[in-house]
Short mmCIF file of all heavy atoms in Angstrom, two decimals:
data_model
loop_
_atom_site.label_atom_id
_atom_site.label_comp_id
_atom_site.label_asym_id
_atom_site.label_seq_id
_atom_site.Cartn_x
_atom_site.Cartn_y
_atom_site.Cartn_z
N THR U 19 108.27 109.31 102.97
CA THR U 19 106.92 109.45 103.69
C THR U 19 106.86 108.65 104.91
O THR U 19 106.34 109.18 105.92
CB THR U 19 105.76 109.02 102.68
OG1 THR U 19 105.81 109.91 101.57
CG2 THR U 19 104.49 109.07 103.32
N LYS U 20 107.33 107.37 104.85
CA LYS U 20 107.09 106.51 105.92
C LYS U 20 108.44 106.10 106.62
O LYS U 20 109.36 105.79 105.90
CB LYS U 20 106.43 105.22 105.45
CG LYS U 20 105.10 105.48 104.84
CD LYS U 20 104.48 104.23 104.16
CE LYS U 20 105.24 103.66 103.04
NZ LYS U 20 105.31 104.49 101.90
N GLU U 25 111.64 95.14 113.26
CA GLU U 25 110.98 94.53 114.47
C GLU U 25 111.94 94.33 115.60
O GLU U 25 111.63 94.39 116.75
CB GLU U 25 110.46 93.11 114.08
CG GLU U 25 109.22 93.37 113.15
CD GLU U 25 108.76 92.12 112.47
OE1 GLU U 25 109.04 90.96 112.93
OE2 GLU U 25 107.87 92.25 111.48
N GLU U 86 106.52 89.26 120.77
CA GLU U 86 106.36 88.59 119.60
C GLU U 86 104.94 88.77 118.98
O GLU U 86 104.73 88.90 117.73
CB GLU U 86 106.62 87.05 119.83
CG GLU U 86 106.43 86.13 118.71
CD GLU U 86 106.97 84.75 118.87
OE1 GLU U 86 107.61 84.45 119.91
OE2 GLU U 86 106.81 83.97 117.94
N THR U 89 104.58 91.91 117.06
CA THR U 89 105.10 92.06 115.76
C THR U 89 104.10 91.71 114.65
O THR U 89 104.36 91.96 113.47
CB THR U 89 106.33 91.10 115.58
OG1 THR U 89 105.82 89.75 115.67
CG2 THR U 89 107.35 91.44 116.46
N ARG U 92 103.40 95.59 114.74
CA ARG U 92 104.26 96.58 115.25
C ARG U 92 105.70 96.28 114.75
O ARG U 92 106.06 95.10 114.52
CB ARG U 92 104.24 96.71 116.83
CG ARG U 92 102.93 96.98 117.46
CD ARG U 92 103.09 97.62 118.78
NE ARG U 92 103.60 99.04 118.64
CZ ARG U 92 102.77 100.02 118.38
NH1 ARG U 92 101.51 99.98 118.39
NH2 ARG U 92 103.35 101.26 118.20
N ARG U 101 102.20 115.70 102.18
CA ARG U 101 101.06 116.20 101.37
C ARG U 101 100.13 117.09 102.21
O ARG U 101 99.61 118.08 101.66
CB ARG U 101 100.21 115.00 100.89
CG ARG U 101 101.05 114.13 100.03
CD ARG U 101 100.44 112.76 99.65
NE ARG U 101 101.31 111.89 98.82
CZ ARG U 101 102.19 111.11 99.15
NH1 ARG U 101 102.39 110.81 100.45
NH2 ARG U 101 102.93 110.36 98.37
N TRP U 191 86.80 86.80 114.97
CA TRP U 191 87.93 86.41 115.83
C TRP U 191 87.53 85.49 116.90
O TRP U 191 88.38 85.16 117.80
CB TRP U 191 88.55 87.69 116.37
CG TRP U 191 89.45 88.37 115.36
CD1 TRP U 191 90.25 87.74 114.40
CD2 TRP U 191 89.66 89.83 115.17
NE1 TRP U 191 90.96 88.71 113.68
CE2 TRP U 191 90.60 89.92 114.18
CE3 TRP U 191 89.14 90.93 115.80
CZ2 TRP U 191 90.94 91.22 113.67
CZ3 TRP U 191 89.54 92.19 115.32
CH2 TRP U 191 90.47 92.38 114.27
N GLY U 391 95.36 110.57 102.40
CA GLY U 391 94.77 109.38 101.93
C GLY U 391 93.90 108.65 102.90
O GLY U 391 92.71 108.29 102.82
N HIS U 430 87.25 103.21 109.09
CA HIS U 430 86.44 102.41 108.22
C HIS U 430 85.16 101.90 108.83
O HIS U 430 84.25 101.59 108.07
CB HIS U 430 87.27 101.12 107.83
CG HIS U 430 88.52 101.40 107.18
ND1 HIS U 430 89.51 100.48 106.90
CD2 HIS U 430 88.97 102.56 106.71
CE1 HIS U 430 90.50 101.06 106.23
NE2 HIS U 430 90.23 102.26 106.13
N ASP U 437 79.32 110.44 107.05
CA ASP U 437 78.06 110.71 106.17
C ASP U 437 77.25 111.82 106.81
O ASP U 437 76.78 112.71 106.18
CB ASP U 437 77.15 109.45 106.20
CG ASP U 437 77.31 108.68 104.83
OD1 ASP U 437 78.02 109.29 103.97
OD2 ASP U 437 76.69 107.70 104.62
N THR A 12 108.38 88.94 111.07
CA THR A 12 107.07 88.83 110.42
C THR A 12 107.00 89.68 109.17
O THR A 12 106.39 89.17 108.21
CB THR A 12 106.00 89.26 111.45
OG1 THR A 12 106.10 88.42 112.60
CG2 THR A 12 104.67 89.22 110.87
N LYS A 13 107.45 90.90 109.20
CA LYS A 13 107.19 91.80 108.08
C LYS A 13 108.41 92.18 107.42
O LYS A 13 109.45 92.47 108.09
CB LYS A 13 106.50 93.05 108.68
CG LYS A 13 105.15 92.84 109.33
CD LYS A 13 104.54 94.10 109.93
CE LYS A 13 105.38 94.62 111.19
NZ LYS A 13 105.46 93.75 112.28
N GLU A 18 111.35 103.12 100.62
CA GLU A 18 110.69 103.76 99.47
C GLU A 18 111.68 104.00 98.25
O GLU A 18 111.28 103.97 97.15
CB GLU A 18 110.11 105.15 99.86
CG GLU A 18 109.00 104.95 100.86
CD GLU A 18 108.47 106.18 101.53
OE1 GLU A 18 108.90 107.31 101.04
OE2 GLU A 18 107.83 106.12 102.54
N GLU A 79 106.00 108.97 93.34
CA GLU A 79 105.87 109.84 94.55
C GLU A 79 104.52 109.64 95.23
O GLU A 79 104.43 109.40 96.38
CB GLU A 79 106.18 111.23 94.23
CG GLU A 79 106.04 112.12 95.43
CD GLU A 79 106.52 113.56 95.30
OE1 GLU A 79 106.98 113.88 94.16
OE2 GLU A 79 106.46 114.27 96.15
N THR A 82 104.12 106.34 97.00
CA THR A 82 104.75 106.22 98.44
C THR A 82 103.73 106.59 99.55
O THR A 82 104.06 106.36 100.71
CB THR A 82 105.95 107.18 98.56
OG1 THR A 82 105.52 108.60 98.44
CG2 THR A 82 107.04 106.90 97.64
N ARG A 85 103.08 102.74 99.51
CA ARG A 85 103.98 101.77 98.93
C ARG A 85 105.47 102.08 99.34
O ARG A 85 105.74 103.17 99.62
CB ARG A 85 103.88 101.63 97.35
CG ARG A 85 102.65 101.35 96.78
CD ARG A 85 102.71 100.68 95.47
NE ARG A 85 103.17 99.29 95.61
CZ ARG A 85 102.44 98.29 95.85
NH1 ARG A 85 101.11 98.38 96.01
NH2 ARG A 85 102.96 97.06 96.00
N ARG A 94 102.45 82.54 112.03
CA ARG A 94 101.26 82.19 112.90
C ARG A 94 100.36 81.19 112.10
O ARG A 94 99.90 80.19 112.70
CB ARG A 94 100.59 83.36 113.44
CG ARG A 94 101.41 84.22 114.34
CD ARG A 94 100.79 85.54 114.69
NE ARG A 94 101.57 86.36 115.43
CZ ARG A 94 102.57 87.28 114.97
NH1 ARG A 94 102.59 87.50 113.77
NH2 ARG A 94 103.17 87.96 115.86
N SER A 179 80.38 106.30 101.24
CA SER A 179 80.81 107.42 102.11
C SER A 179 82.24 107.72 101.94
O SER A 179 82.63 108.88 101.95
CB SER A 179 80.48 107.00 103.53
OG SER A 179 79.25 106.53 103.75
N TRP A 184 86.47 111.46 99.84
CA TRP A 184 87.59 111.87 98.99
C TRP A 184 87.12 112.81 97.88
O TRP A 184 88.03 113.12 96.90
CB TRP A 184 88.30 110.60 98.41
CG TRP A 184 89.17 109.94 99.35
CD1 TRP A 184 90.01 110.57 100.27
CD2 TRP A 184 89.34 108.54 99.55
NE1 TRP A 184 90.65 109.63 101.03
CE2 TRP A 184 90.27 108.25 100.58
CE3 TRP A 184 88.79 107.36 98.92
CZ2 TRP A 184 90.78 107.09 101.02
CZ3 TRP A 184 89.22 106.06 99.46
CH2 TRP A 184 90.09 105.95 100.39
N GLY A 384 95.59 87.70 112.08
CA GLY A 384 94.92 88.94 112.55
C GLY A 384 94.11 89.64 111.48
O GLY A 384 92.89 89.94 111.79
N HIS A 423 87.16 95.00 105.71
CA HIS A 423 86.40 95.84 106.62
C HIS A 423 85.07 96.34 106.04
O HIS A 423 84.16 96.72 106.82
CB HIS A 423 87.25 97.16 106.95
CG HIS A 423 88.56 96.77 107.54
ND1 HIS A 423 89.51 97.82 107.90
CD2 HIS A 423 89.03 95.74 107.98
CE1 HIS A 423 90.59 97.18 108.39
NE2 HIS A 423 90.26 96.00 108.54
N ASP A 430 79.34 87.81 108.18
CA ASP A 430 78.12 87.52 108.96
C ASP A 430 77.31 86.44 108.32
O ASP A 430 76.90 85.48 109.02
CB ASP A 430 77.26 88.77 109.00
CG ASP A 430 77.47 89.50 110.39
OD1 ASP A 430 78.25 89.01 111.19
OD2 ASP A 430 76.79 90.52 110.62
#
Side-chain angles (χ1 to χ4, degrees):
Chain U
T19 296
K20 301 174 295 298
E25 291 171 16
E86 182 168 356
T89 62
R92 300 206 74 85
R101 296 171 180 92
W191 282 321
H430 300 172
D437 256 0
Chain A
T12 297
K13 302 175 293 297
E18 291 171 16
E79 182 168 356
T82 63
R85 302 207 72 85
R94 297 171 181 91
S179 316
W184 282 320
H423 299 173
D430 256 0

